[in-house]
Amino acid sequence: MKMESPQKIRLIPLIAALVILTESSGCIRPDHWPVYEQPLTQTAIEELPLSEQEGIENGPVKNLPVAVSKGNSLNLSLDQALVMALETNSSIRVKRYNPVLTGFSEQMERSRFDPELFSKFSYARDRAQKINSNTGIWNRSEEQGQQALIGLSQKLPLGTDIEVGVEHSVDDAYDAPEEQKLRMGMTITQALLRGYGSSVNLARIHQAQLDTAVSIYELRGVIEAVLADTEIAYWDHVLARQKIDIFENSLDIARKQLSEVEQCIEIGTHPPIESAAAKVEVALRKQALINAKSRFEESRLNLLFYTNQGRDGQYELEIHTITTPVSEPETMVRPEDHLKLADQSRSDLQEARLQMKQHRLEIVKTRNGILPRLDLFISLGKTGYADSFSGSFKAMKDSTYDLSFGINFSRTLGNRNTRAKDRGARITLKQAQEALNNMRQIIQRDVRIALNDLDRVRQQIDATRVTRMHQEEAMKAEKERFEAGTSTGLLVAQAQRDLLASHILEVEAIIDYNKVLVMLYLAEGSLLERRGVHMASFETESLP
């Protein structure tokens, strides 16, 4: 028997045909099926290269100038401080990669439905001895065979497995003529119970999409916290600067008052003991000014921490704030409007709702896993027999075919594992529902507390302004009485102290109002929109 020539197995046309079929199978890529239309809008973030993803929120505040430092001095507005915080904050830089990473998980889940090209080539040779039944003589028996298989398989969301393939085989026995066989066939297996339906087969993809949305809301929460801290640090720095101005002015007034008292003592209109109160007042103003400058330096370092992280000479800049705090309170709106806005906008509440959807999808999976395995399969093939490859291909026109169909059934007795998973998933869903309700109550409390604080400081602005005006009149009257000789330096110093305290309280009330506004916007989840920061929005209502 002569060895089979490799040319007899003409696989090149066969492989070329299947490669063309594979390349053209892009028309059935899962991303293009209607069932795969993105339930989450604007999730193209995971499709960006990393170099572009790094700018997830770069320059999120529209039409705002970037702060420019001159030497070691920086004129900084509130909007510019927020932009700098978004650009340099390390927490944001770390968290902004999470949506990209979760987007990869979604693509990995989608890959379960990607078409798969498979192939196989084998060669077998068997040399043996067998007895001739007529002569009783042992004769040599030798046969060899070659097989080549190439095909394409794909899993569909409905629970259907489709496999198409072409197989060519050669059988060459020692005492028989060579036989070549070419078979083209298709096998379809449809799950009828476990694994049936797009709801269970697409659950993992939907969960991965929800993970992406959750990571976006987590990023939003981090950005909100950074912006709130930056704005509060900005107003603290403004307050510290104003306090220095107030204490410097009060020190000048105290020194002027001391000079006037000493002049009165020299001309004999007041006794020498009157200078003691004026000197104490000067010393107290110096102490207060030293503390104010220390707090100003602390607020400067704190503001630079949020706005200048990682930059050269991070803490060397002198900051001059140029944004004036709001001193005329806005009209209060109904608490119900703030509560409704919080229910729609709070990022942590949106995360909890998305996690609820994830738990429901988990129940879809575990409930389906309890079912027994029942699969319907159909296999259909067309075969051509001949003594050559071309002949076997032509023989496909003959009425030869093979058909098989049937049902596969299997069931795990007891099925304790999947039943336990199902019960656990249902309890987890109830737990998540309780946590969601608890979070909503906490958010309502936070919003109402912020509204109460806002109403308090709004009234304090008017009250402290009136108090400061009266203290100015009282200070003026006390000073006139002192000059007329009917008052003492101690009473004048006390009046100065009261005026200083009222002035400080008025400034603090104005700054507190601006800070409480930030806390209210943070509590109701609207801080980003009110500060001009825009992130991708998600519509998740179409998800199970």
Side-chain angles (χ1 to χ4, degrees):
M1 181 189 69
K2 63 180 180 178
M3 295 294 295
E4 183 67 31
S5 173
Q7 284 76 13
K8 288 194 174 183
I9 304 180
R10 301 179 181 273
L11 294 178
I12 295 179
L14 180 61
I15 295 176
L18 264 295
V19 169
I20 293 174
L21 176 62
T22 303
E23 293 298 324
S24 63
S25 64
C27 61
I28 57 171
R29 284 177 58 84
D31 291 345
H32 296 274
W33 293 335
V35 72
Y36 273 85
E37 290 178 358
Q38 290 275 13
L40 303 178
T41 62
Q42 301 186 26
T43 56
I45 182 173
E46 73 277 2
E47 298 175 2
L48 297 175
L50 284 177
S51 59
E52 297 181 32
Q53 291 161 3
E54 292 178 354
I56 291 172
E57 281 302 326
N58 285 347
V61 183
K62 292 185 176 181
N63 302 322
L64 292 179
V66 178
V68 179
S69 60
K70 297 180 179 180
N72 288 331
S73 180
L74 177 65
N75 293 328
L76 189 66
S77 69
L78 175 60
D79 290 335
Q80 291 167 342
L82 298 180
V83 171
M84 293 174 67
L86 290 174
E87 290 177 346
T88 63
N89 186 268
S90 56
S91 298
I92 296 177
R93 289 202 304 268
V94 171
K95 289 291 185 179
R96 67 185 177 183
Y97 290 105
N98 288 345
V100 181
L101 297 175
T102 53
F104 294 151
S105 298
E106 180 182 340
Q107 295 301 318
M108 287 188 285
E109 291 298 336
R110 289 178 179 275
S111 67
R112 296 170 51 238
F113 299 94
D114 288 341
E116 179 182 359
L117 175 67
F118 61 91
S119 63
K120 176 184 177 182
F121 176 78
S122 64
Y123 171 80
R125 185 171 184 175
D126 183 17
R127 177 178 293 178
Q129 296 283 339
K130 69 177 182 179
I131 190 171
N132 189 311
S133 58
N134 296 324
T135 63
I137 300 175
W138 288 88
N139 297 320
R140 186 181 68 174
S141 175
E142 184 174 351
E143 61 182 44
Q144 63 179 0
Q146 301 176 30
Q147 181 186 33
L149 171 66
I150 189 168
L152 196 66
S153 64
Q154 184 161 21
K155 183 178 180 65
L156 304 181
L158 196 61
T160 308
D161 292 318
I162 300 178
E163 179 180 307
V164 294
V166 179
E167 178 183 0
H168 181 250
S169 61
V170 179
D171 291 325
D172 188 4
Y174 180 80
D175 54 354
E178 179 184 279
E179 178 183 287
Q180 294 202 23
K181 180 175 68 173
L182 178 67
R183 181 183 183 274
M184 297 182 181
M186 178 174 65
T187 301
I188 300 176
T189 303
Q190 174 63 55
L192 301 179
L193 292 177
R194 190 195 308 171
Y196 171 77
S198 59
S199 59
V200 63
N201 289 305
L202 297 179
R204 291 184 180 180
I205 295 178
H206 292 327
Q207 286 179 322
Q209 290 176 322
L210 289 172
D211 283 336
T212 301
V214 166
S215 66
I216 287 290
Y217 283 115
E218 288 177 350
L219 176 61
R220 178 188 174 94
V222 172
I223 295 176
E224 287 174 333
V226 169
L227 291 186
D229 291 341
T230 303
E231 187 163 347
I232 290 175
Y234 187 91
W235 294 127
D236 285 339
H237 193 62
V238 171
L239 177 60
R241 176 72 266 176
Q242 292 182 355
K243 282 185 176 181
I244 287 180
D245 295 339
I246 292 172
F247 283 120
E248 287 179 342
N249 183 57
S250 66
L251 178 59
D252 292 339
I253 293 174
R255 284 172 174 168
K256 183 179 180 181
Q257 180 65 23
L258 175 60
S259 176
E260 293 175 353
V261 169
E262 289 175 345
Q263 291 177 4
C264 292
I265 293 174
E266 288 179 2
I267 63 177
T269 57
H270 289 83
I273 197 166
E274 290 293 342
S275 65
K279 291 178 180 179
V280 169
E281 198 63 24
V282 171
L284 290 175
R285 295 295 177 267
K286 289 181 178 179
Q287 293 178 18
L289 182 59
I290 292 172
N291 291 333
K293 288 182 177 179
S294 177
R295 288 191 290 270
F296 176 78
E297 176 64 12
E298 180 182 343
S299 67
R300 183 186 72 88
L301 296 175
N302 193 40
L303 182 56
L304 286 173
F305 170 79
Y306 289 110
T307 60
N308 218 38
Q309 282 189 17
R311 293 182 176 176
D312 294 337
Q314 176 177 346
Y315 295 110
E316 304 302 324
L317 289 175
E318 294 294 332
I319 297 178
H320 301 284
T321 56
I322 60 178
T323 299
T324 304
V326 176
S327 57
E328 297 297 330
E330 301 175 358
T331 305
M332 294 286 291
V333 299
R334 298 184 307 164
E336 292 76 11
D337 295 335
H338 291 282
L339 294 173
K340 183 179 179 180
L341 181 59
D343 191 68
Q344 297 173 348
S345 303
R346 278 286 293 254
S347 57
D348 50 358
L349 195 59
Q350 296 299 326
E351 285 183 49
R353 287 172 176 154
L354 293 177
Q355 289 169 354
M356 286 281 295
K357 291 187 176 184
Q358 287 183 317
H359 294 317
R360 292 193 184 98
L361 288 170
E362 190 64 27
I363 291 178
V364 171
K365 291 160 52 180
T366 57
R367 182 177 56 199
N368 184 266
I370 297 176
L371 299 174
R373 170 71 66 182
L374 182 63
D375 296 339
L376 172 66
F377 66 89
I378 299 176
S379 180
L380 176 64
K382 182 69 173 175
T383 308
Y385 299 91
D387 57 0
S388 64
F389 176 80
S390 59
S392 62
F393 187 80
K394 295 177 181 179
M396 296 286 288
K397 300 178 181 180
D398 298 338
S399 59
T400 56
Y401 68 90
D402 60 90
L403 171 66
S404 62
F405 61 90
I407 292 178
N408 291 325
F409 175 84
S410 66
R411 181 182 183 88
T412 302
L413 300 180
N415 209 10
R416 289 180 292 180
N417 183 37
T418 53
R419 291 184 182 277
K421 288 181 178 179
D422 184 62
R423 289 194 295 268
R426 294 177 186 276
I427 293 175
T428 302
L429 177 62
K430 292 181 180 179
Q431 183 184 42
Q433 181 65 59
E434 294 294 336
L436 177 62
N437 294 335
N438 180 60
M439 183 179 295
R440 296 184 67 179
Q441 295 297 323
I442 293 174
I443 290 174
Q444 290 184 10
R445 180 205 64 185
D446 292 345
V447 172
R448 292 183 182 276
I449 289 176
L451 288 171
N452 180 67
D453 286 344
L454 188 65
D455 184 58
R456 174 185 62 81
V457 296
R458 182 176 62 86
Q459 297 180 56
Q460 285 287 3
I461 290 177
D462 294 332
T464 55
R465 182 181 294 120
V466 172
T467 302
R468 189 255 307 161
M469 294 171 63
H470 290 328
Q471 290 293 348
E472 287 177 347
E473 295 176 357
M475 171 63 189
K476 183 178 180 181
E478 197 65 41
K479 188 175 180 181
E480 290 176 352
R481 286 193 291 269
F482 177 79
E483 292 174 351
T486 59
S487 182
T488 64
L490 181 61
L491 293 177
V492 173
Q494 184 62 50
Q496 288 178 343
R497 230 172 282 166
D498 293 340
L499 175 59
L500 175 63
S502 64
H503 201 172
I504 293 295
L505 289 175
E506 180 184 8
V507 172
E508 287 180 341
I510 294 174
I511 297 299
D512 284 347
Y513 178 77
N514 288 266
K515 291 165 65 175
V516 171
L517 270 179
V518 175
M519 299 310 297
L520 173 62
Y521 297 156
L522 187 63
E524 68 183 13
S526 64
L527 181 61
L528 297 192
E529 287 72 19
R530 293 181 186 272
R531 295 299 177 259
V533 180
H534 302 286
M535 296 184 63
S537 60
F538 292 90
E539 298 175 1
T540 60
E541 297 302 324
S542 59
L543 288 175

